Structure formats: structure tokens, C-alpha cells
């Protein structure tokens, strides 16, 4: 390693280049070898030699390129977009290496954060603050210069989207991510940085959102209950609020718990929305 360079990951795996100079290469096969990651570069060492990719040259991260069956049969691989094309990586320690890789791309970047921008559905009068970000195994943590600590658990993301906002008289790319605090209050945190850093962070947070998505079919009553919880109605007040029988609501809570849409707080079925429930409730509100 060069002076000032720090090794972040070292594993074995497979790799290949699948797009070169704008053209897909269909007759390619994986090369086995060693995959090394530092805070400055990615090194792929195989029987055909060693290839170095500077992290600063990586333009995009993510997406599948199943140009032939040998690639399509591999479930877990990364696509790394660089000026000369697209390189695929399939490390043995996929999850660990992914965390290290996102960390290498994001942990040294400068961010602006507004937290909470929204709390319990109410817009907050908070200011943008300079922040540092750290990618962890199951969360993205941020520390602001004002002393705030923000933890966004990847399995607790209800919604994430990108857009542009005016920050300090300048249009900037912004991520709006919905999550919750330790008490279960729904929050939205706004995060901004360079277009490149926003792209990488959005890719990571979208992975978290996909962990929270659900395809279960819910009745209108189910959605009404989720909407009420999302709006701050106590679970104990749900029967009176919606004009439902107490036993019916208890059965409904149990079904939602079984579907991992709400989390049980007490045996008496005091529940709070998790990421899946918040996402469904938000969609139900938008449909009204």
C-alpha cells in the first residue's frame, strides 16, 4: 500500500469486464482471483495479471449485466461502472465486502443533512448541517457538526427518493429517506452531497428499502388501521377510532404481526409501524 493508503477489504472471488468502450461483451467468463480494496483503489489479481481501478474513477455502482448464462447463474455480484466500461465482481464474502465497498466510496465524503426534516408527519424547522457519514453492517450513521447523531437502519427504511432542493442559494441533489427513531416515531431525513456521492448513497439506501418492501395483500380495514397508526393514533384507541370490535382489532394486529408489518411492544398488542407498515400506510394515504 502507498503512503496514506489503508486496506479495507481482502477476499477471494471472481471478476470480469462485461462492457468495454460502450459495447457489451457476450463471450466472457469469470476469472478467479484475489479482490483487494483500499480507501483509494480496487485491485483485481488473477492468473492473467493484476488490474487496478482508482475509486475516484468509479462513476456508478449497481445493476445486473447478465449477458450470458455463466453470469446469469450468479445471484450476488457487483457492477462497477468506470470510463472504459463495466466490471463485475463476485466476492466470496459478498455482504462484508459490499459494506466495505460502500464505506470506501462514502465515508470520506462531505455531506449536508437536515434532521429531522419531518417528524410524525409534521415538517420541522431544522437547518442544514455539515455532516460525516459512516456505512456500517446494518445501518448508515451520520454525525452533524451541531452534535446530532442520526442512525438509519437499512431494514427500517419505509421510502427513499431523490430530487433537487435549494440549499444555501444553490440547487443540489438531495436524498429524502423515511425511517424511524428508537421510539418508533416516523422521521424523514434529508441528505445532500455531490451528485456522485448522492448516487452511491441512494443505491445503498434503496437496497435497504427493498428489504422492507412487502407484497402481501391487505384489506381496506387493514390499511385503515395502518393509516391510523401512521397518523399517531394509539393502538388502544383503534377500536373506538374506527368503530371496530376489540376482538376484531386484536385478530387484525396479530395478522399484521405475523406478516411483519407491525412490531409487538407488549403482550396486550401495543404495536408500532415498522418500515413495511409505514410504506403501505403512506401508499394508502396517497391513494385516497
Amino acid at each position: 500500500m502507498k503512503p496514506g493508503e489503508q486496506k479495507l477489504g481482502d477476499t477471494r472471488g471472481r471478476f470480469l469486464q462485461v462492457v468495454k468502450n460502450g459495447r457489451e461483451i457476450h463471450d466472457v467468463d469469470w476469472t478467479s482471483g484475489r479482490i483487494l480494496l483500499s480507501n483509494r483503489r480496487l485491485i483485481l489479481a488473477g492468473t492473467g495479471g493484476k488490474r487496478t481501478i482508482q475509486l475516484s474513477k468509479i462513476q456508478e455502482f449497481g445493476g445486473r449485466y447478465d449477458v450470458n448464462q455463466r453470469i446469469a447463474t450468479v445471484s450476488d455480484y457487483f457492477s462497477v461502472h468506470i470510463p472504459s466500461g463495466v466490471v463485475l465482481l463476485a466476492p466470496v464474502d459478498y455482504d462484508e465486502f459490499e459494506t466495505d465497498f460502500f464505506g470506501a466510496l462514502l465515508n470520506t465524503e462531505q455531506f449536508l443533512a437536515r434532521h429531522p426534516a419531518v417528524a410524525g408527519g409534521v415538517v420541522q424547522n431544522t437547518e442544514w448541517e455539515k455532516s460525516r457519514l459512516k456505512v456500517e453492517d446494518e445501518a448508515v450513521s451520520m454525525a452533524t457538526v451541531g452534535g446530532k447523531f442520526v442512525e438509519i437502519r437499512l431494514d427500517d427504511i419505509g421510502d427513499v427518493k431523490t430530487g433537487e432542493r435549494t440549499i444555501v442559494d444553490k440547487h443540489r441533489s438531495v436524498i429524502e429517506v423515511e425511517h424511524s427513531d428508537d421510539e418508533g416515531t416516523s422521521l424523514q431525513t434529508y441528505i445532500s452531497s455531490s451528485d456522485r456521492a448522492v448516487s452511491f448513497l441512494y443505491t445503498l439506501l434503496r437496497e435497504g428499502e427493498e428489504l422492507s418492501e412487502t407484497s402481501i395483500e391487505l384489506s381496506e380495514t387493514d390499511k385503515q388501521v395502518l393509516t391510523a397508526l401512521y397518523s399517531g393514533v394509539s393502538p388502544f384507541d383503534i377500536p373506538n377510532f374506527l368503530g371496530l370490535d376489540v376482538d376484531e382489532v386484536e385478530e387484525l394486529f396479530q395478522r399484521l404481526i405475523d406478516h411483519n408489518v407491525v412490531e409487538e411492544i407488549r403482550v396486550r398488542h401495543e404495536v408500532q409501524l415498522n418500515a413495511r407498515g409505514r410504506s403501505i400506510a403512506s401508499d394508502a394515504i396517497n391513494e385516497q
Side-chain angles (χ1 to χ4, degrees):
M1 294 290 171
K2 298 179 180 179
E5 190 173 11
Q6 179 184 2
K7 184 168 74 172
L8 303 177
D10 185 352
T11 186
R12 299 200 63 81
R14 294 178 289 175
F15 40 84
L16 57 83
Q17 183 158 355
V18 73
V19 177
K20 188 173 183 178
N21 298 324
R23 296 194 313 121
E24 288 188 351
I25 307 171
H26 295 272
D27 188 22
V28 290
D29 201 355
W30 294 100
T31 295
S32 296
R34 188 179 175 190
I35 303 174
L36 294 96
L37 175 69
S38 79
N39 58 330
R40 294 183 179 176
R41 54 186 173 151
L42 177 68
I43 302 172
L44 310 177
T47 55
K50 182 174 70 172
R51 179 175 188 175
T52 298
I53 299 173
Q54 300 295 327
L55 297 188
S56 60
K57 299 295 184 182
I58 297 176
Q59 301 166 323
E60 190 178 335
F61 185 49
R64 292 191 66 87
Y65 282 82
D66 297 335
V67 297
N68 61 40
Q69 191 61 27
R70 291 184 293 273
I71 296 173
T73 55
V74 177
S75 59
D76 292 331
Y77 67 72
F78 306 112
S79 61
V80 178
H81 300 239
I82 54 178
S84 64
V86 179
V87 175
L88 305 186
L89 311 176
V92 172
D93 303 322
Y94 181 88
D95 291 336
E96 181 179 348
F97 192 85
E98 181 183 41
T99 299
D100 292 338
F101 198 88
F102 273 116
L105 294 172
L106 293 169
N107 288 354
T108 59
E109 293 286 339
Q110 295 275 357
F111 289 89
L112 291 169
R114 185 178 162 207
H115 174 83
V118 181
V122 179
V123 176
Q124 304 295 300
N125 188 28
T126 50
E127 301 291 335
W128 290 94
E129 295 184 83
K130 292 182 179 180
S131 307
R132 284 291 187 180
L133 179 148
K134 182 179 181 182
V135 178
E136 300 177 316
D137 290 341
E138 299 178 351
V140 172
S141 299
M142 299 190 72
T144 73
V145 294
K148 293 180 183 176
F149 177 78
V150 186
E151 182 182 56
I152 303 172
R153 299 187 302 277
L154 295 178
D155 64 353
D156 184 51
I157 294 175
D159 187 37
V160 59
K161 57 186 178 182
T162 58
E164 284 198 352
R165 287 181 176 269
T166 300
I167 307 172
V168 195
D169 298 326
K170 182 178 181 181
H171 286 290
R172 297 175 182 265
S173 297
V174 174
I175 294 173
E176 301 177 6
V177 55
E178 192 273 333
H179 56 109
S180 65
D181 61 18
D182 293 338
E183 285 71 43
T185 301
S186 175
L187 306 174
Q188 286 185 34
T189 299
Y190 296 169
I191 306 169
S192 181
S193 186
S194 66
D195 290 346
R196 180 173 178 270
V198 164
S199 174
F200 293 146
L201 181 57
Y202 179 71
T203 298
L204 174 59
L205 295 177
R206 274 289 294 135
E207 287 191 14
E209 183 187 28
E210 289 168 2
L211 292 174
S212 302
E213 288 178 348
T214 179
S215 60
I216 66 171
E217 294 185 5
L218 298 178
S219 68
E220 286 303 313
T221 303
D222 294 335
K223 292 179 181 179
Q224 288 175 6
V225 169
L226 293 176
T227 300
L229 290 171
Y230 187 79
S231 301
V233 178
S234 166
F236 300 121
D237 295 334
I238 292 292
N240 290 334
F241 186 78
L242 296 177
L244 300 174
D245 182 78
V246 173
D247 290 338
E248 181 183 358
V249 172
E250 285 291 304
E251 292 177 3
L252 187 150
F253 281 162
Q254 187 58 57
R255 183 167 66 253
L256 295 177
I257 290 169
D258 293 341
H259 283 306
N260 194 29
V261 173
V262 299
E263 299 168 350
E264 188 173 49
I265 303 299
R266 301 175 186 169
V267 175
R268 195 188 163 188
H269 285 163
E270 180 181 354
V271 298
Q272 67 183 24
L273 288 175
N274 59 17
R276 290 182 174 182
R278 292 194 302 274
S279 180
I280 294 169
S282 179
D283 290 341
I285 292 172
N286 291 333
E287 291 171 1
Q288 294 177 357

